[in-house]
């Protein structure tokens, strides 16, 4: 058990000195949770093998699920990757700092604990000012998975991290909501064609706009039994209540929501709905229903920002079942769809 120190910083205006202790803890082999522009990360210096192992213990993370190495300047790529292909340099130039993780062959010096024994390593350069300053002061690459307990929704608020990890790590840096809200795009650059292993803030279209149309593979079907990234095989992002993901035209889906909520309530179930502002009309104001909005359908970024918070709210309210309306699979909406699909156990229901 630790007395976890919680440091609150304003990401727009903070004194770099506020992060000095956090950097010291990391350098000495401790664990610090810190904000990035996607989700909060749970960091350890990659060369401290015991600390990296401790990340797995604290999260309850399966040992075969590799971590992402975080850097603050492109020059650190050469320290970590055995070879940096031209495409990686082009993508780094265009999307770093930002929510893109690249998988490259790893240098021998990268401990097996970081890469879970794989010959490759995931690398990302975050854009969040607090993450950048912390990494700069630490001046060592930092391995960081999302700072949640394994299987729980990723943390997008300091409070989420406090809920999951308080008492288990040395320090939590709370800088408020993260912004993008879903984890980085994971792009494998070690096979013949670049391949998206996990959709995120940097979309397929954005990648092809840089690398050329038709050059980037994207898994059309997420196959849970044959995962691309080791981490994709576990039930993930999941609130405690079972979640059903619904697709279809707006009106039939609304009707289905209304009828299902009514029926389940008759059966004494507490229902949670995850949908859009516009869908609230489906429910008479008298209906007792926990309605959580992903904002406006036409604004995928808003949905991404809210998604994990909303999943956690469902747990807080203590609903028995969640019905989630699938987002339009455009822009970052594809990543939101992917997370909901996984939270639903890899199923989606077509409503007609
Ligand atoms: O936005 C993010 O990426 C956040 C913030 C904290 O940076 N981090 C994050 O880490 O989401 P994590 O550990 O929750 O997810 C990392 C994903 C996992 O699915 C893992 O299997 C995959 O990246 N991964 C890591 N190294 C890999 C490798 N060498 N080959 C294939 N997949 C890899
Ligand atoms: Mg994670």
């Amino acid at each position: 058990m630790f007395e976890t120190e919680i440091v609150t910083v304003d990401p727009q205006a903070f004194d770099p000195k506020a992060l000095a202790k956090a950097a010291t803890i990391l350098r000495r082999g401790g664990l610090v949770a810190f904000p990035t522009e996607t989700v909060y990360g749970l960091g350890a210096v990659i060369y401290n093998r015991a600390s990296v192992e401790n990340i797995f213990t604290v999260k309850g993370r399966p040992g075969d699920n590799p971590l992402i190495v975080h850097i603050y300047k492109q020059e650190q790529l050469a320290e970590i990757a055995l070879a940096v292909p031209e495409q990686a340099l082009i993508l780094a130039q265009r999307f770093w700092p930002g929510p893109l993780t690249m998988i490259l062959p790893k240098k021998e010096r990268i401990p097996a604990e970081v890469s879970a024994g794989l010959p490759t390593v995931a690398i990302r350069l975050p854009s969040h000012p607090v993450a950048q300053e912390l990494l700069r002061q630490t001046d060592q690459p930092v391995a960081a998975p999302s700072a949640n307990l394994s299987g729980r929704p990723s943390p997008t608020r300091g409070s989420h991290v406090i809920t999951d990890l308080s008492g288990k790590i040395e320090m939590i840096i709370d800088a408020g909501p993260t912004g993008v809200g879903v984890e980085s795009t994971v792009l494998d650059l070690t096979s013949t064609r670049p391949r998206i292993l996990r959709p995120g803030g940097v979309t397929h279209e954005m990648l092809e706009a840089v690398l050329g149309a038709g050059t980037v593979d994207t898994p059309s079907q997420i196959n849970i039994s044959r995962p691309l990234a080791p981490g994709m095989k576990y039930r993930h992002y999941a609130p405690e209540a079972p979640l059903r993901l619904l697709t279809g035209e707006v009106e039939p889906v609304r009707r289905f929501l209304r009828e299902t909520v009514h029926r389940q309530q008759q059966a004494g179930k507490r229902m949670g709905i995850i949908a859009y502002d516009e869908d609230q009309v489906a429910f008479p104001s008298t209906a007792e229903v926990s309605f959580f909005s992903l904002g406006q359908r036409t604004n995928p970024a808003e949905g991404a920002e809210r998604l994990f918070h909303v999943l956690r709210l469902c747990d807080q309210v203590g609903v028995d079942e969640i019905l989630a309306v699938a987002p339009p699979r455009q822009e970052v909406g594809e990543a939101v769809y992917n997370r909901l699909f996984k939270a639903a156990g890899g199923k989606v229901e077509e409503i007609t």
Side-chain angles (χ1 to χ4, degrees):
M1 273 303 267
F2 285 94
E3 182 83 53
T4 302
E5 186 170 341
I6 296 166
V7 175
T8 306
V9 295
D10 176 349
Q12 257 70 60
F14 63 94
D15 181 350
K17 286 201 203 89
L19 302 178
K21 187 166 177 191
T24 305
I25 292 172
L26 284 172
R27 293 180 67 92
R28 285 193 189 141
L31 302 190
V32 174
F34 62 97
T36 82
E37 71 279 17
T38 55
V39 303
Y40 279 77
L42 175 60
V45 168
I46 62 169
Y47 302 117
N48 296 331
R49 288 169 175 256
S51 327
V52 174
E53 265 181 22
N54 204 17
I55 287 181
F56 288 84
T57 309
V58 159
K59 277 181 60 88
R61 183 179 176 102
D64 64 353
N65 192 4
L67 306 177
I68 297 174
V69 175
H70 294 66
I71 57 177
Y72 67 93
K73 55 179 181 190
Q74 254 191 64
E75 296 81 84
Q76 287 173 289
L77 259 178
E79 175 184 340
I80 297 159
L82 189 60
V84 182
E86 180 70 21
Q87 281 175 326
L89 290 174
I90 294 170
L91 292 172
Q93 207 57 42
R94 172 66 184 76
F95 295 112
W96 279 0
L100 176 67
T101 294
M102 294 194 266
I103 311 283
L104 296 172
K106 83 171 186 76
K107 281 217 162 127
E108 208 159 325
R109 64 193 304 181
I110 308 302
E113 287 82 355
V114 173
S115 61
L118 294 176
T120 57
V121 61
I123 311 172
R124 124 168 169 85
L125 198 159
S127 65
H128 195 290
V130 173
Q132 285 197 358
E133 181 58 26
L134 178 63
L135 293 166
R136 187 174 297 117
Q137 289 186 31
T138 306
D139 203 26
Q140 297 271 17
V142 168
S146 47
N148 53 297
L149 294 176
S150 219
R152 303 265 302 122
S154 290
T156 53
R157 311 275 189 274
S159 61
H160 301 163
V161 185
I162 293 169
T163 302
D164 281 15
L165 300 181
S166 200
K168 298 185 167 165
I169 60 176
E170 278 86 342
M171 183 180 278
I172 296 169
I173 303 171
D174 183 350
T178 48
V180 178
V182 289
E183 305 89 337
S184 62
T185 303
V186 177
L187 183 70
D188 183 4
L189 289 172
T190 64
S191 44
T192 39
R193 284 161 57 89
R195 201 163 52 141
I196 296 174
L197 305 187
R198 178 176 75 183
V202 174
T203 63
H204 186 238
E205 297 76 52
M206 289 161 76
L207 291 168
E208 289 205 335
V210 174
L211 296 179
T215 59
V216 179
D217 288 343
T218 176
S220 54
Q221 207 47 42
I222 307 148
N223 187 335
I224 291 212
S225 55
R226 289 205 335 124
L228 296 169
M232 301 301 267
K233 71 173 171 247
Y234 301 103
R235 186 174 185 242
H236 247 165
Y237 318 113
E240 269 143 39
L243 182 148
R244 293 171 67 183
L245 180 62
L246 315 172
T247 62
E249 300 291 326
V250 170
E251 272 314 319
V253 168
R254 276 185 194 160
R255 190 175 347 106
F256 181 87
L257 286 177
R258 193 164 43 231
E259 287 167 6
T260 310
V261 163
H262 182 73
R263 194 172 56 248
Q264 297 290 64
Q265 281 181 334
Q266 301 284 304
K269 282 199 183 177
R270 295 194 63 166
M271 298 298 292
I273 305 293
I274 299 177
Y276 292 90
D277 287 349
E278 313 88 272
D279 300 317
Q280 199 145 14
V281 297
F283 304 97
S285 55
T286 49
E288 217 201 272
V289 52
S290 300
F291 184 92
F292 301 105
S293 179
L294 294 178
Q296 291 180 3
R297 228 181 218 87
T298 48
N299 186 353
E302 196 178 11
E305 202 283 319
R306 291 191 191 187
L307 175 70
F308 289 131
H309 185 54
V310 153
L311 288 176
R312 281 175 179 260
L313 286 177
C314 287
D315 281 346
Q316 268 176 37
V317 171
V319 300
D320 298 310
E321 187 176 294
I322 303 163
L323 300 175
V325 173
R329 297 173 69 172
Q330 277 138 28
E331 299 166 45
V332 74
E334 180 63 30
V336 175
Y337 180 91
N338 168 274
R339 306 311 189 265
L340 282 169
F341 183 76
K342 298 201 72 196
K347 287 195 299 272
V348 60
E349 298 170 53
E350 173 92 42
I351 308 301
T352 50

